[in-house]
Structure formats: structure tokens, C-alpha cells
Amino acid sequence: MNKPWIPLNKEYNGNSYMDNLNSELNDLYEWLRPTEAENHLRKLTVLRYITFIESVLPNSYVVLQGSSATDTFLSDSDIDLIIFLRENPSDPPANKIHNIEFNFQSLKHQKHASAFKTEPLDHISILETIAREFRKSKMVNDIKIITTARVPIIKTQDKHSHLDIDICVSNFDGVVLTNCLLSFLRSDFINFSKEKDHRLKPTIDPNTLKKLIFILKIFIHLNQLESPFEGGFGSTEIVHFALFITMMHPGEDNLATLLLSFFELIGRQLNYFLCGLSIQSNCPHFISKISHSLLTNETPQSLIIQNWSDSSSFLGTKTKKTIQLSHLCNHALCILNNITNNDLKNKNPGKSFKSLVSFILPDLSSYIEIRNKQESIYRMLIECENTSTSQCCNQSSSAHRIFYPKFELDTKTTLLITNSTDSSQTLSGFAKIQQKFR
């Protein structure tokens, strides 16, 4: 198995298997972190779609949510966008949506929130309008509207970067959850104080939390359990897993300890038929599915997680792959225990290993291929933009140039966006890239 996360000629020679595994998991995280090309390509794509949607719906304000907003995305993670609409020009500025409180219940009482509310039936018509304009623009490979989801969405894929994009309307809960995770990932959100209920809040190290999120994501992704629409576990559920584990081990920064705790929890401890998980009040605990009326005949095996930002809502109610995840976690524990026990019998506990992670992760060949393709796309984009931007500016008087300081990028690459909804010529570089990949 290819092990690209291991530095050249490195062996793990710690005092214990836990030390070796922790060291290797840290190397895995460093390798999984988005590269400069992946960051720029994603942010460029985000900018294109935000600009396009806001040009189609002039009273709209598009918010980036999920892993792309928190920088916890894998190379092929979806881009999640939320559309908010203002009906009246006198309504408060749309950017006030960023000032919402973490508690979703209090959001309902804020006077500016009503300015962005739309009826559920309107959501479908708005999505249909966007889908129709996407088809005209020829900027997507495929597009479909999913109305059966808890929040109706558009699922599509960008024609040029091949990144999947999910778009919904007025999903305040999504913004709240994103801001919640950002609060945990801030460096100033390490220590908690005693609240009125006199419970001591556990300590969370933002860097450790972020590392654990990436490791859980790649484990679930490579085992093909990540799609919520197929009964899998999306980014929101994975974030809650990571929060639950880090709160169980306050102050712990050993990734091996945290990962094995996750395997133990899901693989052996949790009776997911009767119980769910909760981190309400920053206190990890089990909840009864029966007392919350969450035990259903349709998905009795669902892995329920109480929403951290809204105690009245629950995540994972439609998950169908809990049994597979539980078996994978238990299997990973068995493999690591067997390795440890065999070497203890041989009286060689300090044996160095080239890799322990490779025993619990599936083959990464397809993931490496995706990363290499994104690197190639970005390099060709830069090359094409450098050679053709001036020609495009001369040919299209209606085009204007949008630079990247908004995203704090180091590159001076520019993005051409036309004033019409026909975006087939929006990016000259993207058009050439498409031809090269045919």
C-alpha cells in the first residue's frame, strides 16, 4: 500500500505503540491538509458560484458553510452554499447574518432574522430558478434538486474543477453550526469556566480537534461511508464525533488515544439501537432514543447525535450505515491489538514500524489521483489565465476583473466574470482546461 504521508526514510521508533501511532497520525494530518493549489482552486470555485447566484438573484446573499468555511475539507469534499433573500431594500444588510448567536433558539427572536426568512415552498422555486440558470450557463456537469432531504438542496458538480456543490435556501441551522465549529477551532477557545450549573467545562485544544476531524473524515471517506444521502455520515456528524471524543478526554493531545477512543465508542460501547450521543452543555453523554421518540422501524440502527447548537434537533436520523461503521471500528481495534500482542509475546515492545496507520486505512490510490488532478487543474488554470487574460479583456467589454484579496491569497491570479448569466466564457482558463481533459 502506498504511504504518501510518511516522510522519506522515516521510521517510528517511539517508546510504545501509542507513541508511534500518534506520531504517524500527526504526519497523516500534515499530508491531508489542503495544499495551496487545493485551497486556491476551491476558493476560486466558491467565488464563481457566489457571484453567479447573486447575479441571478439580486436580492440574495450567499453564505459559505460547512468544511469549506472552516478549512476542514478533504480534497474532494463538497462545497456547501446557503442562499438568503431580502424582500425589501429597507431590510438590514445581508451581512448581519454573520452576527447570529450560537444558540439557534435565540436566533428566532432576533429582529433581523425575519428579513431572511422564506416559506418552504419558495425554497423549491428558488432552487429551480438557480438550476435553470446553471443549465443555461453550461458551467455544471450535472444538476438535480433533492426535495426529500430535511433541507431541500441542489446537488451539482462544477464542470471545470470537478468539485461537487450543494446549495440550499435559508438554512440558518447550517450557519449556526459552522459558527459553532469556528468558535471551537479558534485559538482563544481553549479554556472553559464554571457556568451557573457549577459544571466545569472540559478543555479542548483547537489544533487537536482539527487534526481529529481530518483523521475521522479520511477514515470514513475511504470506507465509503461519507454520503448522508446514501445513509452515511456527513461532515456535521463527523464534527460532532470529534467534539464528543475530545470532550471525553479534556486536555488530551495524543491522537492515538483519541482515535482508539472513537473506535472503542462506536465499535464496542455504544448500543446505537437504543442510545444516541449528545454534547449538550459541553458534557459528552448518551441519550435514550426511546425517550426522545427517535426509535423508528425505517432506520432502527441510526446513529443519533443531538445537535450541539439546538437541543431540540437531532442529526443522523436517516443514517443506515451505522452497523458497517461499528464493524470497521471494531476491526481496526482488533488489528492494532493483534499487532501489539504478537510483539509483546516476542518480547519486542519497542519494535519500530514503517506504518501502523496503513493497517487500518484502505488504499489511498483513488484519493491520491484526485489530489494530483486538482494540482494539474490549478497549474493549467494559472498558465491559461496568464496567457489569455489580456485577450479576454479586450474581447469582452462587459467583463470586469475580480481579484483575490478577499480570500487573502498570495497569488495575483485574477478571475473574469461576465455580467450576463451565460458563464460559458466566465473563465478563459477553465474553458481551456476542459478541452485538455477531454
Side-chain angles (χ1 to χ4, degrees):
M1 174 182 173
N2 195 2
K3 309 175 188 68
W5 63 88
I6 301 179
L8 186 63
N9 298 325
K10 180 174 182 178
E11 288 192 356
Y12 300 100
N13 300 307
N15 294 325
S16 68
Y17 283 96
M18 294 297 285
D19 289 340
N20 290 341
L21 183 58
N22 177 59
S23 179
E24 187 177 1
L25 288 173
N26 276 282
D27 288 337
L28 176 63
Y29 163 72
E30 291 298 329
W31 181 76
L32 288 173
R33 290 175 62 187
T35 64
E36 179 183 11
E38 290 169 343
N39 261 316
H40 291 186
L41 184 63
R42 180 170 294 262
K43 290 173 181 177
L44 189 152
T45 304
V46 168
L47 181 57
R48 287 181 69 218
Y49 279 79
I50 287 178
T51 305
F52 180 83
I53 293 170
E54 291 181 350
S55 68
V56 172
L57 303 171
N59 287 333
S60 68
Y61 180 66
V62 182
V63 177
L64 180 65
Q65 69 153 333
S67 60
S68 295
T70 58
D71 285 331
T72 56
F73 59 87
L74 297 178
S75 298
D76 54 351
S77 292
D78 295 347
I79 293 173
D80 299 300
L81 301 175
I82 312 175
I83 303 171
F84 293 96
L85 296 179
R86 288 185 297 156
E87 295 182 358
N88 303 314
S90 59
D91 286 336
N95 58 16
K96 282 194 176 182
I97 196 67
H98 287 304
N99 298 329
I100 57 181
E101 298 293 335
F102 292 160
N103 190 325
F104 186 66
Q105 299 299 328
S106 66
L107 174 65
K108 298 177 181 178
H109 303 292
Q110 295 186 31
K111 60 182 180 180
H112 73 266
S114 61
F116 301 95
K117 289 184 178 178
T118 52
E119 295 299 322
L121 289 178
D122 293 337
H123 296 185
I124 305 299
S125 62
I126 292 169
L127 294 178
E128 288 174 345
T129 299
I130 295 297
R132 185 166 56 250
E133 296 302 324
F134 276 150
R135 293 188 183 100
K136 289 181 183 178
S137 70
K138 299 179 182 179
M139 60 194 292
V140 296
N141 282 330
D142 187 23
I143 187 166
K144 55 185 175 183
I145 302 175
I146 300 178
T147 58
T148 56
R150 183 174 62 88
V151 178
I153 65 168
I154 285 177
K155 288 192 74 68
T156 188
Q157 185 186 74
D158 182 61
K159 194 171 189 177
H160 311 291
S161 66
H162 300 286
L163 290 171
D164 293 325
I165 302 170
D166 293 348
I167 304 168
C168 63
V169 180
S170 297
N171 181 17
F172 280 91
D173 204 7
V175 179
V176 173
L177 282 171
T178 298
N179 281 328
C180 284
L181 178 56
L182 284 171
S183 73
F184 279 109
L185 291 173
R186 292 192 189 111
S187 59
D188 60 345
F189 201 74
I190 299 178
N191 297 312
F192 292 85
S193 60
K194 285 186 177 180
E195 300 293 335
K196 293 181 180 179
D197 59 4
H198 302 292
R199 278 189 285 186
L200 184 64
K201 307 300 182 183
T203 302
I204 293 179
D205 176 18
N207 291 328
T208 302
L209 175 62
K210 190 170 186 177
K211 291 177 182 180
L212 184 60
I213 289 172
F214 270 95
I215 291 167
L216 294 184
K217 277 193 170 186
I218 195 64
F219 177 78
I220 289 174
H221 172 75
L222 292 177
N223 284 290
Q224 301 180 358
L225 301 176
E226 79 280 8
S227 175
F229 300 100
E230 297 175 358
F233 306 91
S235 180
T236 305
E237 287 84 4
I238 293 173
V239 166
H240 277 73
F241 289 153
L243 285 170
F244 191 96
I245 296 300
T246 51
M247 288 179 184
M248 280 180 62
H249 302 274
E252 180 63 69
D253 62 356
N254 188 299
L255 292 176
T257 299
L258 297 174
L259 181 61
L260 292 181
S261 178
F262 171 75
F263 289 158
E264 184 79 27
L265 172 69
I266 303 300
R268 297 179 179 177
Q269 293 179 348
L270 178 63
N271 183 346
Y272 41 80
F273 288 103
L274 297 177
C275 299
L277 305 177
S278 175
I279 52 174
Q280 285 295 306
S281 302
N282 298 322
C283 179
H285 58 279
F286 293 161
I287 57 173
S288 169
K289 292 171 73 171
I290 296 175
S291 62
H292 288 86
S293 302
L294 296 171
L295 192 59
T296 64
N297 292 328
E298 181 184 358
T299 54
Q301 78 279 29
S302 60
L303 207 169
I304 300 295
I305 310 168
Q306 192 169 23
N307 192 332
W308 185 86
S309 62
D310 180 11
S311 60
S312 65
S313 72
F314 297 86
L315 308 168
T317 55
K318 298 293 181 66
T319 50
K320 299 178 181 179
K321 297 185 177 182
T322 310
I323 297 176
Q324 293 96 311
L325 179 61
S326 179
H327 286 172
L328 285 167
C329 290
N330 185 55
H331 182 63
L333 278 176
C334 291
I335 290 175
L336 294 175
N337 285 336
N338 287 337
I339 293 172
T340 305
N341 292 336
N342 288 338
D343 282 281
L344 286 176
K345 289 178 181 178
N346 296 329
K347 298 181 180 181
N348 192 18
K351 179 181 178 180
S352 65
F353 261 91
K354 186 68 177 177
S355 174
L356 287 171
V357 171
S358 59
F359 287 103
I360 58 177
L361 278 187
D363 185 62
L364 279 85
S365 299
S366 59
Y367 187 75
I368 294 171
E369 184 180 345
I370 291 171
R371 298 196 81 173
N372 291 339
K373 189 170 184 178
Q374 288 197 11
E375 294 281 342
S376 299
I377 290 174
Y378 184 72
R379 284 197 301 270
M380 282 189 284
L381 172 64
I382 298 299
E383 178 185 349
C384 293
E385 285 299 312
N386 288 339
T387 57
S388 61
T389 295
S390 58
Q391 295 177 359
C392 290
C393 288
N394 293 332
Q395 293 175 0
S396 178
S397 59
S398 64
H400 59 281
R401 189 174 293 183
I402 296 181
F403 293 85
Y404 276 162
K406 175 179 179 182
F407 289 119
E408 300 180 358
L409 302 184
D410 297 327
T411 172
K412 295 182 180 179
T413 308
T414 59
L415 173 65
L416 294 174
I417 298 179
T418 61
N419 292 331
S420 68
T421 56
D422 182 2
S423 298
S424 57
Q425 299 299 322
T426 297
L427 279 176
S428 57
F430 269 140
K432 292 188 177 181
I433 286 170
Q434 182 190 7
Q435 294 176 358
K436 290 190 177 184
F437 273 91
R438 280 177 180 171

